[in-house]
Amino acid sequence: MQHDDVVWAIINKTHCSHKVSTKTQQFCRNEYNLTGLCSRASCPLANSKYATIREENGIIYLYMRTAERIMFPNKQWEKVKLSRNFEKAIHQINENLLYWPAFIKAKCKQRFVKITQYLIRMRKLKLRRVKELVPIQRKIERRERRREEKALVAARIDNAIEKQLLDRLKKGTYNDIYNFPQMAFDAALKAEEISDESESEKSDEEEKEMELEPELEKELQRNVEEVDEFVEADSDMESDADSESGHKEGVDVGSDFESETSDIEDISVKAPSKKKARVEIEYETEPVASISRKKIKN
Amino acid sequence: MSLSVARPLVSVYSEKSEVVAGAALPLPFVFKAPIRPDLVNDVHVSMSKNARQPYCVSKEAGHQTSAESWGTGRAVARIPRVRGGGTHRSGQGAFGNMCRGGRMFAPTKPWRRWHRRVNLRQRRAAAAAAVAAAGVPALVQARGHIIEKVPEFPLVVADKVQEINKTKQAVIFLRRIKAWSDVLKVYKSQRLRAGKGKMRNRRRVQRRGPLIIYHKDQGLTRAFRNIPGVETLNVDKLNLLKLAPGGHVGRFIIWTQSAFERLDALFGSWKTPSKEKKNFNLPQPKMANTDLTKLLKSEEIRKVLRAPNKRVVRATRKLNPLTNSRAMLRLNPYAAVLKREAVLGQRRTRNARALALAEKRGIKLPEDDTAVKAEKLREKRTKAIKVAASKKPKKPVAKKTAPPPPKKKASKEKKPAAKK
């Protein structure tokens, strides 16, 4: 008691670490404060005889403090658990604060009412399962967006997709049935050339230069062979075509009929599948129906 | 704070924070010294200037040119300009505080008065005030220390603490005494300084923790040295900058027993001067009993005061008597009579006029006309009055005889009677 006025004079004039000052009001952030405002009658530091209502985990307690216990901070607060019944609790408050100043009594009851109200509200909300609002943190969102863009660029997805598709093609999962756009085909061929040239360069380094010519011969031979094959196929086709030219019926259609392919496509399928394909000369011919079907059969 | 104080006993706690039974010290008188936050602030401000190192700009800064003003007539400002040619610098302004590369306004000098001397009495009084404030738990809490779970205030610990020489033990001690939450607050407050101090070797800041005041250092300082926020102080060399950091009173202080006992010798009491400080006595408080609310309600003061004037004067609305009849009546009760007369007179004249007009024009007014009714009523009344007057028994007229011999009282009675 002796110190209260002195303490208030000091706290009010100089520094109190719990005081929050706004344009119109002063608040007190002390957790034992009864009203939340910084004023002479409600400052827990400047009143040695003080009482508050606080709740912990949904249980409401009445805290009381008297001037005798001020010097023992450990034991200064006397804690009284209030009944769950509202009216009984009010009676308890009245009983415990019987000869206390009217301000503290009134404010304790007000605070008790407020606390019970918000506890009820909390319980109701929990039952309703309201969606939790999470604020958007602008700085973080901006940062993450930029990083996503960069990661997208760095991943080079187009290349990966291309590689995957080519691998699958090479493996044969598409069963030689695929429409190639012209540009992509040329690009792929060029890529093959370059890779082959690099391979050949490597092989050149290994072998002697003398063997260039035989290689060239080999190339030519290969070309010739392919041409020969080509020619042979034609001759076969011609013989077949001759044999069947008389009959209009009996065109056996293979299972691959529905997937229409042309001569070009057949050739194109073969070309990339041969890993050592050299430069091939492609002849685009208009597909002759009977011949094409025969080819399918084979 | 009164001069005749009851000195409570402060119990001593062992380093395991158990009460040492039987060792209870009476509170030194310092703790009842007047707490003067204004004095502490002033002394603190002056004292903190004493650790400063001088700073100044170079003596020749801005003057290492031979610049001369071009004078008037050249269509340029008259500021001194650098001579010569062949470089950017030639012709540029020099020497002025507004010029680029010129010297600053009022170049700082090293002979600025950096230090302040404070009067000895003021210093001692401030120290006493700071120690007193450290004994009030409310002020320590207001300063921001966490002392919720501390067992007693002021906190006195057994002398064994002075022998702690391992930081680990020191931490354990602080935990047991429940001062650790204050140290935790220091940890949480460690941050980088705002501003250029970062690159001037003042990079990190943190708040202050508890202060340990000892009498004999047997390893204590070294043990507590590395705990952030915790400081140690010898009782004989109390430092205001540590007792009231920032000029704010109420640091959380942990005393050792011998240090606590020393305080009485150092500061003395009001009756006995201090033994260690020559010519020093605790400062006298301005008020012996500081409990103002209790004083104002006490009998001695109440007796001398007059009774309180509980009359509440409420502002009333002024009503215009010319328009508001009640207000008029309040001021002049006869106004009612006048008004009534006026009303009645008006009515009479109106009726008379109506009757006269009817007679003149030869119109017979109907029976229920107001003028006719009023006239009839009047006639009835005059008749009734005459009848009543005639029926009344006449009083015998008093014979005028000679008046009796005059007595003063009798004459007084007669005079009002005669007047009647």
Side-chain angles (χ1 to χ4, degrees), chain B residues 149-163:
Chain B
K149 305 254 188 310
V150 171
E152 187 169 343
F153 230 83
L155 190 55
V156 185
V157 197
D159 278 342
K160 264 260 176 126
V161 176
Q162 290 171 169
E163 289 165 20

Side-chain angles (χ1 to χ4, degrees), chain A residues 8-219:
Chain A
W8 176 249
I10 293 174
I11 287 177
N12 205 17
K13 292 283 173 60
T14 56
H15 174 67
C16 174
S17 67
H18 305 278
K19 185 170 173 178
V20 172
S21 201
T22 27
K23 218 183 347 170
T24 44
Q25 258 188 325
Q26 281 92 29
F27 295 101
C28 180
R29 276 177 45 224
N30 192 321
E31 46 186 9
Y32 287 97
N33 191 315
L34 195 48
T35 55
L37 307 171
C38 181
S39 70
R40 175 72 181 90
S42 57
C43 182
L45 301 176
N47 291 298
S48 34
K49 189 170 184 183
Y50 202 74
T52 345
I53 306 275
R54 282 176 79 197
E55 66 97 11
E56 253 174 78
N57 299 329
I59 311 173
I60 310 179
Y61 297 96
L62 168 68
Y63 285 76
M64 291 184 290
R65 179 182 76 182
T66 49
E68 295 94 42
R69 297 200 296 264
I70 277 273
M71 287 308 189
F72 307 96
N74 216 358
K75 306 173 203 143
Q76 64 182 332
W77 291 107
E78 186 190 328
K79 209 165 152 181
V80 172
K81 184 170 168 184
L82 292 176
S83 149
R84 297 271 303 270
N85 185 331
F86 185 82
E87 286 187 11
K88 275 196 197 155
I90 296 283
H91 277 298
Q92 277 177 314
I93 294 176
N94 277 328
E95 206 183 291
N96 279 304
L97 302 179
L98 189 47
Y99 294 113
W100 284 58
F103 176 80
I104 293 185
K105 266 198 282 211
K107 291 297 175 189
C108 274
K109 285 187 209 156
Q110 278 182 344
R111 197 180 165 89
F112 173 69
V113 169
K114 256 299 177 285
I115 290 178
T116 44
Q117 284 174 347
Y118 84 59
L119 284 176
I120 292 168
R121 216 182 306 142
M122 275 168 68
R123 284 185 220 124
K124 263 197 226 159
L125 284 178
K126 278 229 172 94
L127 291 174
R128 233 195 299 162
R129 294 202 155 269
V130 182
K131 291 181 206 160
E132 191 184 316
L133 297 170
V134 173
I136 296 175
Q137 284 156 329
R138 224 169 269 220
K139 184 176 176 186
I140 294 175
E141 289 298 312
R142 262 195 272 140
R143 197 204 306 155
E144 293 304 315
R145 206 183 300 145
R146 184 86 185 113
R147 286 194 182 162
E148 276 168 20
E149 284 169 16
K150 286 192 190 169
L152 197 64
V153 169
R156 292 189 293 161
I157 287 175
D158 299 342
N159 292 3
I161 292 174
E162 213 181 307
K163 245 201 212 173
Q164 252 288 326
L165 289 176
L166 286 176
D167 287 340
R168 287 190 194 173
L169 207 56
K170 286 177 193 170
K171 267 198 220 158
T173 47
Y174 295 125
N175 293 330
D176 305 340
I177 301 153
Y178 201 72
N179 278 326
F180 281 96
Q182 192 60 30
M183 298 284 284
F185 184 57
D186 290 343
L189 272 183
K190 277 191 188 157
E192 289 290 330
E193 277 180 33
I194 294 164
S195 63
D196 289 338
E197 282 172 6
S198 65
E199 283 179 13
S200 64
E201 282 170 9
K202 283 179 194 170
S203 57
D204 283 345
E205 286 168 4
E206 289 173 358
E207 297 168 0
K208 292 177 184 178
E209 294 178 349
M210 292 292 286
E211 297 185 3
L212 266 173
E213 290 181 358
E215 278 199 3
L216 284 170
E217 284 177 6
K218 280 181 192 170
E219 284 180 32

